[in-house]
Amino acid sequence: LVINPYPWVIETHVTPYQARMLDIMMGYLWYDAYAEYSLTGDLDILAHHVMGFVSHITTRVTNVGPIMFYTMMVFVAEGSTPVMHLCWLMHALKKKDSLIFKLMSVVLLLLFFFCRVINAPFSVYHYTSNKANIGWDERPVLYWGNWIILVAFSCLNFIWFFMLIKLALKPPPKLD
């Protein structure tokens, strides 16, 4: 197991540790795309997973360290996923009135905000502003393809965050 002792340094090649993490994530994307699409039928979630897989496969095939850096930045967004799944489970079990559900909903909003809403535009900015510094001119198709995916993820995260806010502010149903 090799771990980069200087995670803030962008490697020139994908490390074995990063490759393993990426392989695990690509497997998870296949599973999660199937599971969520078959449960919800939401095309935006399916598109999210397909774009993520396309971006990850370009990283894996090219073995380019700078692309892996931004892939790992995208993984930060997944920090909100376990809490989101827990909230969905509690919602399905009709535990929305419990204190734990309410606390986890607040935690979800905070994690989603920091891991997705703040991280996404920062990643787009960093990716765009470092284009010349890390050799993207040699791979314009790869650069612009991943840039489009990063921007699309940013837009989806904003949409999903506003949907979460809307759900959080929705008044409880009135009892008759």
Side-chain angles (χ1 to χ4, degrees):
L1 179 66
V2 177
I3 297 176
N4 181 3
Y6 308 104
W8 57 89
V9 175
I10 299 176
E11 299 284 338
T12 56
H13 297 287
V14 174
T15 67
Y17 173 77
Q18 291 170 328
R20 248 182 258 112
M21 293 302 102
L22 190 58
D23 291 344
I24 291 168
M25 186 59 165
M26 287 190 299
Y28 169 76
L29 279 172
W30 278 112
Y31 157 76
D32 203 45
Y34 172 77
E36 288 201 30
Y37 184 73
S38 46
L39 288 174
T40 66
D42 288 340
L43 288 177
D44 58 341
I45 292 173
L46 184 61
H48 167 84
H49 285 88
V50 169
M51 286 187 298
F53 189 81
V54 167
S55 181
H56 294 349
I57 202 74
T58 62
T59 304
R60 194 68 172 98
V61 169
T62 60
N63 197 37
V64 175
I67 299 170
M68 178 54 87
F69 174 81
Y70 295 103
T71 299
M72 292 296 177
M73 289 295 292
V74 170
F75 288 173
V76 170
E78 297 304 322
S80 63
T81 302
V83 177
M84 183 168 35
H85 284 274
L86 181 61
C87 287
W88 283 342
L89 177 63
M90 293 181 77
H91 178 75
L93 295 173
K94 302 192 184 321
K95 302 288 185 185
K96 292 190 312 183
D97 294 327
S98 71
L99 178 62
I100 293 175
F101 177 80
K102 291 174 184 173
L103 290 173
M104 293 309 292
S105 296
V106 170
V107 170
L108 172 60
L109 287 173
L110 290 171
L111 281 172
F112 203 97
F113 180 74
F114 287 107
C115 293
R116 293 179 183 251
V117 174
I118 297 295
N119 183 42
F122 170 76
S123 294
V124 171
Y125 167 77
H126 195 276
Y127 185 84
T128 304
S129 64
N130 283 290
K131 178 180 183 259
N133 298 335
I134 49 181
W136 290 121
D137 294 332
E138 299 164 15
R139 300 175 178 90
V141 172
L142 194 57
Y143 171 80
W144 287 109
N146 280 295
W147 185 87
I148 289 167
I149 290 170
L150 267 176
V151 170
F153 277 9
S154 294
C155 293
L156 279 173
N157 285 322
F158 282 112
I159 291 167
W160 291 338
F161 184 69
F162 286 112
M163 289 170 68
L164 286 173
I165 294 291
K166 189 176 169 183
L167 281 172
L169 297 177
K170 184 178 178 182
K174 293 183 182 182
L175 299 174
D176 291 332

